[in-house]
Amino acid sequence: MKRILLSGFVYTALGRYGGVVISLLVDIVLSRLLTPSDYGIVAVVNVFLIFFSLFSDSGIGTAVVQNRLLTKKEINILFTLSLVLALVLSLLFGFFGIAISFLYNSAVYKSLMWILSLAVFFSVFIAIPKAALLRDNKFGVINLLSLISSIFGGITGIILAYSGFGVFALVLSTVVTTTSNFVFIWYFSHVRLTRKINLNPARKIFSFSANNLGFSLLNQIAHNLAPILIGKFMTTSDAGNYNKAYRLILYPTAMFNGLIAPVLLPVLSKYHNDIKSVRDVYLKLQHITGLIALPLSIFLFFSADDVIKVFYGTRWVDAGLPLAILGLSVWAQMLNANAEPIFQIVGKVKILMKLGVRTSVINVIATILGVLTGNLILVSIFLLMSFTINGFYVSYLVMKYALDSTLWQLLKVLKQGLIISVIQGLLLLLFKISAINIKLNSLNILIIDLLIFTMSFILLIVVLGEMSNIKKILSRN
């Protein structure tokens, strides 16, 4: 099991890190060509794109990976059924643009939604081929193909932005990425359409798929409601600045947890009756996650303003403080990302669904209260509080109901990460105080912040004896 896990992590890391780096570089280039208002418009349609695309990985895709009893013929039948689902959802998405245009009083949403309906189609239609590759632990193939698709989409977006396509450059980049990714994944999966279909395979995965999809929908609504409400009741520039800050705090989760979560379910699903083994793997992963997530939260809090100025330019300066505030929630985002696959592995998706309802209510209330103030900073503060509360709540539930343990067991493995983050916070605070009287530009300040963060992290890892623990966890034996 450990050998397969590590192999999966390595291949997923290559694809995930490559994809995130490409996405970040493209975002930096496009942010200097486009305005916060352009990003605010796309932030709204992207929220709905995420909802419709959830029928892919979080719906039928995850269910196919979890159910090891499905035959190749049944998987092909599910693929054929997914074609119908993809067509229906893409058409609904396109027509939904009419309502969005009316709601935001802008005709541009009609065109954007119809263009992105292609992305919806291929995001849903790719679910079964991708799940088939995951069942066979073909992590390397999946991530290499995703990386190539990201390059195609990124190049398309940059060329179109330079050519003056404005907001359309962002959505067409997404369409190229999803379309090329489908073509590649479908070809290598050997999953094909069937002439005859029946609903028996769908019935086999319905319960798992419905509960898991329900959780994902609620989770995404709660986390993506803010740009919709900000764009409607505040300004599109506010929506763009918020979306920029929120997307940046998701990069660490995508880069680190993004290589863990996709691997856990395919590999550990065979051990769903061995709670102790699953719990041991989870605690080791959370230990490593805590070592990275807790210090990173502190770094983003102190360095957010300089990160924005250096990478995105002065037109995005209003995203600096929201990034600093939301950055303090990175630890919760990263730790909670490993909880969903654990519930899926042990078959507790009904509890996962209830968890989604409760955490979503907290996030929605916080979002509404923040938007009612009309102040982007207060929106960020309210959401920081909700993310923090949910961080502890999710950890408590996964330990108690999925892993038959206690929250205290999890907190103990996070102790070293907390110590490192407190010390780094003090060091960065001392530097910020001393830098007030020193004339340094944002680039110089960010470089010094990175040096303080990196050097202190390495030193503390060695002093606290974490190097040997990490080597033990990463060993193949």
Side-chain angles (χ1 to χ4, degrees):
M1 175 179 71
K2 190 172 183 180
R3 185 180 298 274
I4 298 175
L5 274 173
L6 289 175
S7 177
F9 291 158
V10 170
Y11 285 122
T12 306
L14 293 175
R16 179 68 61 171
Y17 290 166
V20 169
V21 169
I22 291 169
S23 176
L24 187 57
L25 290 175
V26 170
D27 189 38
I28 289 172
V29 174
L30 292 180
S31 294
R32 294 180 179 275
L33 297 172
L34 304 174
T35 67
S37 181
D38 289 330
Y39 270 84
I41 292 171
V42 175
V44 172
V45 296
N46 273 343
V47 170
F48 296 103
L49 174 63
I50 291 171
F51 293 154
F52 279 77
S53 299
L54 282 174
F55 286 88
S56 175
D57 287 341
S58 297
I60 53 180
T62 303
V64 169
V65 175
Q66 195 270 347
N67 193 324
R68 294 280 171 168
L69 299 179
L70 290 172
T71 65
K72 184 177 180 179
K73 181 179 178 180
E74 289 176 321
I75 291 175
N76 285 335
I77 291 174
L78 288 172
F79 180 54
T80 306
L81 291 172
S82 73
L83 171 61
V84 179
L85 179 62
L87 284 170
V88 171
L89 289 175
S90 60
L91 288 173
L92 286 175
F93 186 85
F95 283 115
F96 195 57
I98 299 174
I100 300 302
S101 296
F102 175 78
L103 181 64
Y104 289 90
N105 195 29
S106 175
V108 70
Y109 287 102
K110 293 180 182 178
S111 301
L112 293 177
M113 296 287 274
W114 274 113
I115 293 173
L116 280 174
S117 66
L118 290 172
V120 172
F121 176 83
F122 289 113
S123 293
V124 176
F125 201 28
I126 199 176
I128 303 301
K130 185 177 180 180
L133 290 175
L134 282 172
R135 279 165 59 100
D136 295 332
N137 297 324
K138 298 292 182 62
F139 304 109
V141 174
I142 293 172
N143 287 283
L144 177 61
L145 297 178
S146 296
L147 183 59
I148 295 172
S149 301
S150 296
I151 294 173
F152 286 168
I155 292 173
T156 300
I158 292 173
I159 291 174
L160 292 175
Y162 268 114
S163 301
F165 278 76
V167 67
F168 288 93
L170 293 170
V171 297
L172 287 170
S173 174
T174 300
V175 170
V176 171
T177 300
T178 54
T179 303
S180 56
N181 197 35
F182 167 79
V183 173
F184 295 146
I185 295 292
W186 170 76
Y187 177 79
F188 285 97
S189 70
H190 303 295
V191 174
R192 299 295 181 260
L193 295 171
T194 60
R195 294 183 178 180
K196 297 181 179 180
I197 60 174
N198 63 71
L199 297 179
N200 288 330
R203 294 189 184 101
K204 288 185 178 182
I205 65 171
F206 178 77
S207 178
F208 183 97
S209 179
N211 281 287
N212 193 62
L213 177 61
F215 167 79
S216 296
L217 285 171
L218 289 170
N219 188 48
Q220 289 298 330
I221 289 172
H223 283 81
N224 291 282
L225 181 63
I228 295 176
L229 295 182
I230 292 172
K232 173 61 180 176
F233 298 105
M234 295 170 65
T235 68
T236 53
S237 292
D238 285 330
N241 283 313
Y242 170 83
N243 192 56
K244 179 67 67 182
Y246 184 67
R247 284 187 62 187
L248 282 173
I249 70 166
L250 292 182
Y251 276 120
T253 304
M255 292 184 70
F256 188 75
N257 301 85
L259 69 92
I260 294 175
V263 177
L264 286 181
L265 180 58
V267 176
L268 292 183
S269 59
K270 301 175 183 177
Y271 302 87
H272 62 276
N273 290 322
D274 187 357
I275 300 298
K276 183 180 183 303
S277 294
V278 176
R279 181 172 62 242
D280 288 344
V281 171
Y282 176 74
L283 289 175
K284 288 176 181 178
L285 289 175
Q286 293 299 75
H287 177 74
I288 299 295
T289 303
L291 288 176
I292 298 172
L294 290 164
L296 190 56
S297 296
I298 298 300
F299 173 79
L300 282 175
F301 176 74
F302 283 103
S303 306
D305 189 58
D306 297 304
V307 168
I308 290 294
K309 290 178 181 177
V310 170
F311 290 104
Y312 297 97
T314 53
R315 72 167 61 177
W316 291 94
V317 67
D318 289 337
L321 190 50
L323 175 59
I325 295 168
L326 293 173
L328 288 174
S329 71
V330 164
W331 67 271
Q333 307 276 359
M334 292 181 68
L335 289 173
N336 285 358
N338 294 333
E340 182 179 352
I342 296 300
F343 278 109
Q344 294 167 348
I345 289 164
V346 299
K348 299 286 183 68
V349 286
K350 290 185 178 179
I351 296 178
L352 186 64
M353 178 65 178
K354 293 178 181 178
L355 172 63
V357 172
R358 294 163 187 169
T359 55
S360 296
V361 168
I362 295 173
N363 281 338
V364 167
I365 292 174
T367 301
I368 293 173
L369 290 175
V371 171
L372 286 175
T373 68
N375 187 303
L376 190 57
I377 306 305
L378 291 177
V379 173
S380 303
I381 292 173
F382 274 106
L383 286 171
L384 170 61
M385 291 189 291
S386 71
F387 293 154
T388 302
I389 292 170
N390 284 336
F392 284 105
Y393 182 60
V394 171
S395 296
Y396 164 75
L397 286 186
V398 73
M399 290 302 295
K400 181 176 180 179
Y401 293 105
L403 300 176
D404 296 334
S405 187
T406 63
L407 179 60
W408 178 245
Q409 289 297 114
L410 175 60
L411 294 177
K412 286 197 296 185
V413 304
L414 299 177
K415 181 178 66 175
Q416 305 290 62
L418 180 60
I419 293 173
I420 294 173
S421 64
V422 169
I423 295 175
Q424 287 187 324
L426 292 173
L427 292 174
L428 289 169
L429 177 61
L430 289 173
F431 169 65
K432 294 299 181 182
I433 293 174
S434 63
I436 294 176
N437 299 319
I438 304 175
K439 293 183 179 180
L440 295 173
N441 59 36
S442 293
L443 177 59
N444 290 331
I445 293 175
L446 183 58
I447 290 174
I448 296 174
D449 284 347
L450 284 168
L451 287 173
I452 292 173
F453 175 79
T454 304
M455 294 177 66
S456 62
F457 182 80
I458 295 173
L459 178 62
L460 290 168
I461 284 289
V462 173
V463 171
L464 294 173
E466 284 299 316
M467 288 302 296
S468 59
N469 290 332
I470 294 173
K471 289 179 181 178
K472 187 184 297 184
I473 290 173
L474 295 179
S475 67
R476 288 181 174 268
N477 299 319

